[in-house]
Amino acid sequence: MSQPRPVLTMTAISKIFPGVRALDGVDFRLFPGEVHALMGENGAGKSTLIKVLTGVYGTDAGTIALDGEQVSFAGPMQATAAGVSTVYQEVNLLPNLSVAENIFIGREPRRGPAVNWREMRRRATELLARIDLRIDVTELLGSYSLAVQQMVAIARAIDVRARVLILDEPTSSLDADEVAQLMRIMRQLRDDGIAILFVTHFLDQVYGIADRITVLRNGRLVGEWPTAQLPQLALVEKMIGKELDALESIDAEAGHDPAAVAAGTPLVVADGLGRTGSVAPFSLTIHAGEVVGLAGLLGSGRTEVARLFFGADRADRGQLTVDGSPTAIRNPVAAIERDIAFCSENRRTEGLVGELTVRENIILAMQAARGWLRPVPRRRQDELVQRWIGALSIRPANPDVPVRNLSGGNQQKVLLARWLITEPRLLILDEPTRGIDIGAKTEIQRLVVELADGGMAVLFISAELEEVLRLSHTVAVMRDRQLVATLTNDDTLDAERVMHAIASGDRQESEVHP
Amino acid sequence: MTTTPLAARDAKAWWRVPQRHVPVLATLALLLVMYGIGVSQYTAFSNIQVIFNILIDNGFLLIVAVGMTFVILTGGIDLSVGSVVAMTAMVSASLLRSGLPPALVLVIALLIGPTLGFAMGCVIHFFDIQPFIVTLAGMFFARGLCTWISASSIPITDGFWTSMAQERIRIGENFVSVSVLITLVVVLVAAFVLAYTRLGRNVYAIGGNPQSALLMGLPVGRTKIAVYTISGLCSAIGGIVLSFYTLSGAPLIAVGMELDVIAAVVIGGTLLTGGSGYVFGTVLGVLVLGVIQTLITFDGSLNSWWTKIVIGALLFAFILLQRLVVLRKK
Amino acid sequence: GNSDTGGSGGEAGSDKIVLGFSQVGAESGWRTANTTSVKEAATEAGIELKFDDAQQKQENQIKAIRNFIQQKVDVIAFSPVVESGWDTVLKEAKDADIPVILTDRAVDSADKTLYKTFIGSDFVKEGRLSGEWLVEEKKAATGPVNIVELQGTTGSAPANDRKKGFAEAIATNPNLKVVASQSGDFTRAGGKQVMEQFLKANPKIDVLFAHNDDMGLGALEAITAAGKVPGKDITIITIDAVKDGMQALADGKFNFIAECSPLLGPQLMDLVKKVHAGESVPERVETEETTFTPEQAKAALPTRKY
Amino acid sequence: MSAVRDRFAAASGHRLFWPLVVLALLIVANTVYRPSFLSVELKDGHLYGSLIDIVRLSAPLILVALGMSLVIATGGIDLSVGSVAAVSGAVACLYISKQPDQNSLGGVFTALALAFGVALVLGVWNGTLVAVIGIQPIIATLILMVAGRGLAQLIAEGQIITINSEPYRTIGVGHLLTLPFAIVVALVVTLLVAVLTRRTALGMIIEAVGGNAEASRLAGIRSRRITLLVYVVSAACAAVAGFMMTANVSSADGNAVGLWVELDAILAVVIGGTALAGGRFYLGGTIVGALIIQTLTTSVYAMSIDPQTALLFKAVVVIAVCLIQAPAFRARLRRRRTPPPPPPTAVETQKEQVPA
Ligand SMILES: Nc1ncnc2c1ncn2[C@@H]1O[C@H](COP(=O)(O)OP(=O)(O)OP(=O)(O)O)[C@@H](O)[C@H]1O
Ligand SMILES: Nc1ncnc2c1ncn2[C@@H]1O[C@H](COP(=O)(O)OP(=O)(O)OP(=O)(O)O)[C@@H](O)[C@H]1O
Ligand SMILES: [Mg+2]
Ligand SMILES: [Mg+2]
């Protein structure tokens, strides 16, 4: 398959950030007409390698050659011009512009000097239709969910007829359907001879599409293998650098008994809760010690449900009962007072404060709850922060670096730590494993099970249906911003039944809690 | 399984006002209300010439505000505008006094502003220094240059300038000055550039999120430098128009103008954080300030301190209503 | 703007004379006294006053004059913020047949027909009177007499003219020398801060000439703090003669004040009536002004209004 | 040798290093111009000298800038500080001037309390417009900047209120333990603000709100209250500054007190390293910034630089301070001095400006 001449060669690349050696003598090559998976734990240096390639960062050592010719891009603009098209890890688009413009800005169709708006809209609609996204392209991008934004970013990248396409965790918040779409398109492009660099933490996606795998660990190259020659288990071991035993054990641990949990006292009961224009009224009960999973397609309204529970948006109908007494949760403060925590899906805009340090980000919610007059004592901070940095293996383990310098996955862990230290009774996790490597993901899943065993209620949202099924006692299914079914996760429940509930046209009444 | 729920959005009715136009329309409506109040209170207010006078008297302000709109849209700020306006007027006046031909003076005067703007843009971009500081230094610099040229005002007697100043373009009973036409052209060109050219769209992009714009391969640096140059150019044009207006260059003219300009832009609905706003909004913002001032002059019964208090109160009332209308719409 | 005069707008036909008056601003006590004088005199003379405050901006003043023209007032009076740049709008006033009177400060228009008359003080004369008094006071001095000067706002007409008049007058005695001259912006705080530096930089200061009372009053604080006795160790000359300044003069802290009277209201109203009636008026009317020594100040203080 | 270099590298890495260097340079320039500049003598048990003067004169600016730091940290800006200073000064002076005995301590304290109260109300007004009604800070405070001046003049009826009150004068020109009282006040307020923000969690919470308002809200911070609070603190600081300015000349001039102080204060904050966009703030930097600005003003007077070139001089210094502080600029200089060995590509110079 691989041709003799790589389109892209990176040799002995090193990149040093103050205090961190992010890349250390890494070699990498990419052939035309292949999908090449770049793998590694959170903070291994994948995104940095990509940013060095496209000129976002300068290198400290090493050379980059495109088509055998040495290059050094001054920035993404030059890289794009040279035929390297990139979707960076964090969705990096412009929320204040329309969807169409986000796709075409920088290469707008023009008539004379003037941008041809009509043509741009037409082409954008067409392009999005190709990846099965049918949305109003004149709306501002910011009004769409993160997943939609991710799709738009992909659309932008694939529309450029590039020689090299780089996708840094493009699928982190996509559903199975969208992922399938993306895979189809990637295959198409590969067959056209385009070289694709693909970063993901989903092993099945890697084995589904990648021709070749390069593994990084701690900024160093571990090696490069054809996919066929690297079994899944071996890959994971290369990534984490040690023998693996814990991975499969999660299923066994989650040997839960939904019936027993549901018999307990309800902690939070939503009765006809809803918000005009965002979620239709729904009813849902969450018991102490219960994990309720929310399943649904992209944009089906799962996030909106979570936000209503937390008071991030105000419900305009229905009733929420906490501990048996009706409560109006009008804002996050009220929710936190009732021991509800919400780990939002969009860590960059709704989660972290980039300028603050890891430590400050972790204690932020706890501090807010205590009020500013009672600072968390330094010793307590150290203790908590150290514990969770260890438990979630946040890297670098230094609590005093600004959180924006952390890799994407590590940022997600910091956000999780923030809410875990508040010891809530209801923990709402919206895509908590987004962008997290398999090792840490297992860790987090185990944690959820543990917490639930300890009596914490969890509302768990994930684009990965398997994950939802593995962890939840109860699965609530969303479609078109409606709660269409509540299914008990007993032995009979499987992905197929959930998909059926999502797909079937008529609204089913809940099967478990009347 | 290809029907995403995202498709389930009702088609937009043609008459529905897009959300992002609401603030501007609200501002327009409130402006009309304010004008109506003026007409009902003072007889002479209804003269068409009053409206024309607002344009004549605020032309230079509007031109400068248009330039500022570019800068603010990128999330920056330009404090040097007032001084650059004064400097342009001073330079023109002193060059004319020294006997240079008006055409040459015009070219020189129109070059100084953009040059300073370009320099400031470069410092802001290449050295990554906050625009506030750089343009504040630019403001000191230009103002210092004004007083260095001459400590007192210099009258302009040149024929071309005088005719530009005193030419009245009749429209029926009433008239406008040449400056109004210049203003109109500037506004239209700017509106076109912002809405229909790559430069304009890049301006919005940078205001939305400079990091993203960079990663999307947009020419962030070039655009940043361009907006400060444009602002400098607009200030220079504004300075020329001001020198038509006063037929002189005075070292202390347009002191504090930057605040009026910023206020006008922001009242017009442009976000100071960048990324959202329209030139048309800026036009409205300037008109709002103009109408407030005209109302106060027509009243003629306020003493100096009540004048300030009433300006503040009217501004407050206006912004509060604007806010309420927009909130209600949401 | 709610208005009790609403609608009266100076439509032609009402028998009351309507005067549109555009004031520079309210930047000092002197200016406020000036405004008050104009307002009171207008009421007394039965003239309807349309008052506008330009907040020290020429642009605002031009706008105000345009609006007066729209309102068809009978006479326009204004204190120009700066000298240049009035031709266009004054021409409009002339075309609308509205006579214009300048108060307090002059304009430099070549076309003298654009305004009817000027009423105000002669700043050069004020500076000269101060200088002449000093020459007289120090005529016995044998050694050099070191003078420091607190200037008004840079470039303003009063600052320029007072400096000029003073310099002319003291030129007659080569012993009198201005060793330092800085702008104190006509404010007390400015006067104090600049004086502090003068005192540090110049070991021997004999005379302080301040372009207005306020700066002189600020300088007093600095002089006292430096351990010197104002009025004795340092001779102090100021201009304006506002109440606080007169008090300092009476207390012996100042030595001499040249008056610059803000009370030109009555004289202005006379001119307005004459101009409105079409009578001829002199090209230049000077306000009645005098100078004060400590004794004269003591006598004048009880009746001082501003 | 290399130890020295290491120590230098460590020191020059500190945020305050370059601003302090500029401050030192300014002082050296003054000393060269007039050697007595550095001398500080004890007169009647009071310290007296140019350096003391500079600190004393910068006291009001320091106060205003401290409040401004907090406001800027939340991503706002407060243009009304000058007007608030004028109003509070006018209220205090008016009240004292109406007392039969202007020297009575009780009267002065009542006046201060009254004026301080008025300032707090103005702060609440600003905070409400920004935090509750949601008006952009620059416009919200512009309203009070304009109207507040009018208010100050209204209180004094356009006149300068002159008072003759020894206790009040003390605030501006008095001494305590050989130090000018104003310096003591500035020190105390600085300590207070520092303790308030850094010994409690307030500082971090303000930085969180300024860094990412939505994230802070979702973390349970009552960001409205915090925003309101910083505007109140800013107004309070401005009020104390207003007392100093008016006490300095024993009179309240509604038009001149605090004129343009907002620009100087913002400048001080930004020179001190705080970003106008909000987020991290540095009180130490702000104070150094304020000292630089006042030293600059004093130098202009002391060196009798004529006002015409004073502004040019100021422009040059401001730009110099900022350039020397900017990492991008220093990186460029360094590169020019020691060109990097192997592949020095033409495009490489471009890279440093890309924000990480
Ligand atoms: N701008 C920066 N400043 C300092 N350190 C940085 C910066 N960007 C990245 N790093 C550090 O470099 C290392 C590599 O980060 P990188 O983002 O490349 O990881 P990654 O492999 O993409 O991880 P993830 O799977 O979590 O996205 C991390 O330790 C990170 O903390
Ligand atoms: N058809 C649509 N038109 C416009 N906006 C939509 C549409 N569908 C979804 N959105 C946007 O997406 C969000 C609703 O999806 P939400 O995030 O609640 O769903 P989700 O099930 O969590 O999906 P996701 O996987 O995308 O996070 C809202 O913010 C909404 O603005
Ligand atoms: Mg990454
Ligand atoms: Mg979601």
Side-chain angles (χ1 to χ4, degrees), chain A residues 143-145 147 297 299-304 345 481, chain B residues 5-6 9:
Chain A
S143 64
Y144 290 104
S145 73
L297 294 181
S300 57
R302 293 165 297 183
T303 300
E304 317 291 85
E345 69 177 329
R481 295 151 182 276
Chain B
L6 297 174
R9 261 263 174 121

Side-chain angles (χ1 to χ4, degrees), chain A residues 96 101 108 115 138 156 480, chain B residues 5 20 195-196 198 201 216 275:
Chain A
N96 62 324
E101 226 183 330
E108 303 90 340
V115 172
T138 61
R156 175 182 169 84
D480 282 356
Chain B
R20 59 198 117 138
Y196 284 103
R198 278 201 182 156
R201 300 323 294 173
M216 289 168 85

Side-chain angles (χ1 to χ4, degrees), chain A residues 41-43 45-48 50 89 168-169 199 201 407-409 435:
Chain A
E41 284 182 288
N42 292 134
K46 304 178 293 292
S47 302
T48 307
I50 290 170
Q89 179 171 13
D168 193 354
E169 295 195 33
V199 179
H201 290 293
S407 79

Side-chain angles (χ1 to χ4, degrees), chain C residues 26 32 192-193 196 200 244, chain D residues 53 56 153 158 162 248 294:
Chain C
T32 310
K192 180 171 179 184
Q193 208 176 338
E196 274 168 3
K200 296 229 164 60
D244 287 339
Chain D
D53 271 354
R56 177 174 61 82
Q153 289 187 314
T162 307
N248 189 29
Q294 186 56 48

